[in-house]
Amino acid sequence: MALSADQFKQACDFLEQYYSVPPRMGIILGTGLGGFVDDMEVHHRIPFRQIPHFPECSATGHVGHWICGSLHGKSLAVMQGRFHLYEGHSPATITLPIRIMKALGVKHLVASNASGGLNPAFDSGDLMVMEDHINLHFRNPLIGPNDDSVGPRFPDMSAPYDANWIQQSHRIANQLGFPLRQGVYAALLGPNYETRAEYRMLRRLGADVVGMSTVPEVIAARHAGMTVTAFSAVTNLCRPDTLGTTSGEEVIAAAKPAEPKLRALVGELLKNSY
Ligand code: HPA
């Protein structure tokens, strides 16, 4: 359910008191990717349940903390964990953190997730920068009355992911010495992983990876005028003809090799930003 204006303000005021310098960048750390926080100077670690009107975070591999802190002198709003539609949350709830980030002063969102690799050239442990997405959630956080003070009724989605940041990401990954993949993320509801026929269909639709998150947050961020960069850790390989079984535990473990790449890359991107 969407919050009332008063409830929204309570959540924003609660978090704002923890910042002496407003955050300019928001970061969402997805499944198995929370270790970025270890690189930060952490000022406050706030469990989601302490934030007024925030829901509980129930997803495995998601700590569920809002981290106020900085890296390379940049003030950050970091979500260590996120909310998913498969947890039973509404699109409005999932994107509440984005609207709060915007109200706190965030201009750029860096999102991350774990995904299944559909592109046959991708390997488990690869990091992919998202160039586009396909919203197969068939849900949208912008449905309902539009708040014109946040963004337009019909937001453009021709280039959701900032081209300059994508270019910078490739330059930095090259310097750091690892291959950075680039591709299209398809968002499905989950929580089950897909059938072989579904993986085959997703590849034909033009997706390089598949996951269960990120797209609602990106839509809300773009609506609110934020620029966005998103990274996907390729975990299980979705090869329809030779498909093995997949479990949540395996996906979390398989995200680990991509984590140091994400940490190094986002750290370097931050140095050159805002
Ligand atoms: N499908 C959907 N979401 C996922 C997958 C997958 O194969 N792997 C990690 N997240």
Side-chain angles (χ1 to χ4, degrees):
M1 285 294 295
L3 300 188
S4 69
D6 278 353
Q7 290 172 321
F8 180 67
K9 188 169 176 327
Q10 281 164 10
C12 293
D13 289 350
F14 174 84
L15 285 167
E16 195 170 29
Q17 66 177 330
Y18 290 100
Y19 285 97
S20 49
V21 179
R24 288 282 173 263
M25 185 171 313
I27 300 180
I28 302 175
L29 300 171
T31 303
L33 299 170
F36 173 82
V37 170
D38 298 340
D39 299 341
M40 291 174 60
E41 193 179 306
V42 174
H43 303 152
H44 302 281
R45 204 182 285 267
I46 306 162
F48 288 162
R49 66 177 165 280
Q50 285 180 14
I51 303 171
H53 315 296
F54 244 55
E56 285 276 349
C57 178
S58 73
T60 42
H62 292 251
V63 177
H65 287 162
W66 184 293
I67 312 287
C68 307
S70 61
L71 183 62
H72 304 308
K74 310 288 164 70
S75 179
L76 302 174
V78 177
M79 300 254 303
Q80 203 177 20
R82 61 145 63 80
F83 307 115
H84 304 80
L85 290 169
Y86 66 71
E87 294 171 82
H89 300 305
S90 67
T93 299
I94 288 173
T95 53
L96 172 65
I98 304 299
R99 296 197 300 124
I100 293 175
M101 283 180 184
K102 171 74 183 178
L104 293 176
V106 167
K107 306 271 183 238
H108 188 85
L109 176 70
V110 176
S112 64
N113 58 58
S115 64
L118 299 161
N119 185 324
F122 290 4
D123 262 333
S124 181
D126 276 352
L127 190 67
M128 185 194 91
V129 62
M130 285 166 61
E131 72 176 47
D132 211 340
H133 68 234
I134 305 174
N135 183 6
L136 298 173
H137 280 161
F138 302 112
R139 308 272 196 290
N140 196 303
L142 307 182
I143 287 174
N146 186 56
D147 184 344
D148 294 335
S149 69
V150 176
R153 169 78 286 188
F154 300 111
D156 177 68
M157 213 50 69
S158 61
Y161 302 92
D162 190 87
N164 180 41
W165 280 64
I166 292 176
Q167 205 185 349
Q168 293 302 318
S169 301
H170 283 294
R171 186 183 55 76
I172 293 167
N174 200 27
Q175 276 170 5
L176 292 171
F178 64 84
L180 180 65
R181 309 295 188 176
Q182 181 171 326
V184 174
Y185 175 95
L188 268 71
L189 276 178
N192 59 280
Y193 295 111
E194 289 69 32
T195 65
R196 287 180 296 143
E198 287 165 341
Y199 284 136
R200 216 171 267 128
M201 173 194 76
L202 291 165
R203 184 67 187 139
R204 287 202 184 144
L205 287 180
D208 294 290
V209 297
V210 52
M212 306 175 192
S213 69
T214 307
V215 168
E217 293 125 316
V218 171
I219 291 173
R222 293 298 298 141
H223 175 245
M226 293 157 73
T227 48
V228 176
T229 311
F231 298 102
S232 196
V234 179
T235 59
N236 52 308
L237 296 181
C238 313
R239 308 275 151 78
D241 299 329
T242 54
L243 193 67
T245 57
T246 308
S247 70
E249 292 71 29
E250 280 164 16
V251 165
I252 294 170
K256 281 294 154 210
E259 194 189 41
K261 301 177 196 171
L262 179 78
R263 282 162 71 160
L265 183 49
V266 175
E268 287 302 312
L269 280 167
L270 262 177
K271 277 189 195 161
N272 308 321
S273 74
Y274 300 110

